Amino acid sequence: MRVDEETIRNRSTDAVFDRGETYRKEGRIQQLDRFENLVTAAVSGSKLYDVTIKFGGRSLDTKCTCPYDGSGDCKHVVAVLLDIAAGPPEDESKGVEEVLDDVSADDLRGFVRDVLAEHAEFRERFLALFGDDHKSVEEYREEIAQLFEQHADPVVFEAIDFSRFFDIAEQYRDRDRNLAAATVYQAIFEEVDEKSNWIDGAYNHYAKTIQTALDGYADCVLATDPTPEEFDTYAGVLERRATTEPPINDEQFWRALDDLEERYEQ
């Protein structure tokens, strides 16, 4: 888990780097934890924001729930990266592995049941990873709509965290359940597009969210090696969104449709 100041500077603007450095010096990092190559942190700003950083070889995947939609990483991510550069946090996975080696199957099963009973999000991820069923597009859209309702005051100014849904889609993809994953991606880009008139801030965040969902949807559709008839059905989903009123993200959907058709023909 190596990162240096030069790398962090290259990932952010000068102004954001300076703010991130100040945030770290002011002690705004409220919590910082590491599990293998994943670091999670809570950083206080105008409110408490969640930062997630995943190290993968020479790559860094960073996320923050703040509304920043500028170039590069936000100040909250910069603050956490600088803290990691100063001294990587202790890897808690080692202690967990030691306990797992000693705990009995019955005790572990009981613990998992208790966690699943108390946390709906974990239940959803558990079923995506091990179950044989999945929710419909409409059911996922309802959950995403609830997030918008929770953040609207009366409109949405900040970046809503959709990582829970992307994680579920990835778990389906890990099991080669591409159509189940496509269902989640479709729900994301449809509902975010539907709620675009609610958004009055963090525009880049929502554009990226739609694009990530579109890219995932296309990958999953093509992975099923669809017949021409099946492909027309999947492509029709994008065409309907491209022609939905008001046409806020129509160009993004038309581009996605063109890219999907081009990849299918190849």
Side-chain angles (χ1 to χ4, degrees):
M1 186 167 288
R2 297 179 180 177
V3 63
D4 55 30
E5 183 176 316
E6 181 180 0
T7 299
I8 302 170
R9 283 186 178 276
N10 291 336
R11 293 177 56 89
S12 61
T13 65
D14 291 341
V16 169
F17 180 88
D18 291 342
R19 290 293 292 152
E21 193 172 39
T22 299
Y23 265 42
R24 178 174 179 264
K25 291 178 179 178
E26 291 177 349
R28 291 178 178 263
I29 301 175
Q30 302 296 303
Q31 183 177 351
L32 194 151
D33 300 293
R34 173 188 174 188
F35 195 94
E36 294 181 339
N37 292 323
L38 182 69
V39 172
T40 56
V43 182
S44 62
S46 55
K47 59 183 290 187
L48 199 62
Y49 296 109
D50 296 323
V51 171
T52 303
I53 301 173
K54 187 173 184 179
F55 288 79
R58 295 182 178 180
S59 66
L60 279 176
D61 182 16
T62 61
K63 296 179 183 178
C64 182
T65 57
C66 78
Y68 177 72
D69 62 354
S71 175
D73 289 325
C74 69
K75 58 193 174 186
H76 310 102
V77 169
V78 168
V80 176
L81 285 174
L82 287 171
D83 206 67
I84 295 172
E90 182 179 354
D91 184 2
E92 297 181 25
S93 68
K94 298 176 182 178
V96 172
E97 290 293 341
E98 291 175 359
V99 174
L100 282 175
D101 289 339
D102 295 333
V103 71
S104 70
D106 287 342
D107 287 343
L108 183 59
R109 182 183 180 87
F111 174 78
V112 171
R113 284 178 60 86
D114 289 343
V115 170
L116 296 179
E118 296 174 9
H119 302 280
E121 178 181 343
F122 291 156
R123 283 200 304 276
E124 206 165 32
R125 296 175 64 183
F126 177 82
L127 292 172
L129 188 58
F130 300 109
D132 292 323
D133 196 10
H134 65 89
K135 295 180 180 179
S136 66
V137 171
E138 290 71 22
E139 288 174 312
Y140 283 121
R141 284 191 60 171
E142 287 178 5
E143 295 182 14
I144 296 169
Q146 290 174 7
L147 287 179
F148 276 97
E149 291 169 1
Q150 292 167 8
H151 288 78
D153 187 27
V155 295
V156 177
F157 295 101
E158 59 189 11
I160 297 175
D161 183 7
F162 302 102
S163 60
R164 164 192 164 201
F165 298 97
F166 284 112
D167 288 344
I168 292 170
E170 285 300 313
Q171 286 162 0
Y172 280 130
R173 294 179 71 173
D174 288 343
R175 299 178 61 200
D176 293 325
R177 297 187 63 191
N178 291 293
L179 290 182
T183 296
V184 184
Y185 289 129
Q186 181 181 341
I188 296 170
F189 65 65
E190 286 189 344
E191 194 58 35
V192 175
D193 179 51
E194 189 75 20
K195 292 294 191 293
S196 289
N197 59 338
W198 290 34
I199 298 169
D200 192 21
Y203 301 108
N204 192 47
H205 167 77
Y206 292 100
K208 287 181 178 178
T209 296
I210 290 176
Q211 191 59 54
T212 302
L214 286 170
D215 292 342
Y217 179 81
D219 290 343
C220 290
V221 165
L222 296 173
T224 66
D225 193 19
T227 65
E229 293 76 14
E230 291 170 336
F231 179 80
D232 287 344
T233 299
Y234 302 137
V237 170
L238 301 182
E239 185 171 358
R240 283 193 297 275
R241 292 315 304 179
T243 55
T244 297
E245 296 292 337
I248 298 176
N249 304 299
D250 57 328
E251 292 185 6
Q252 194 170 8
F253 283 102
W254 283 124
R255 286 196 302 271
L257 178 58
D258 289 342
D259 291 342
L260 179 62
E261 291 176 339
E262 182 178 348
R263 292 174 62 188
Y264 182 64
E265 291 171 358
Q266 292 175 351

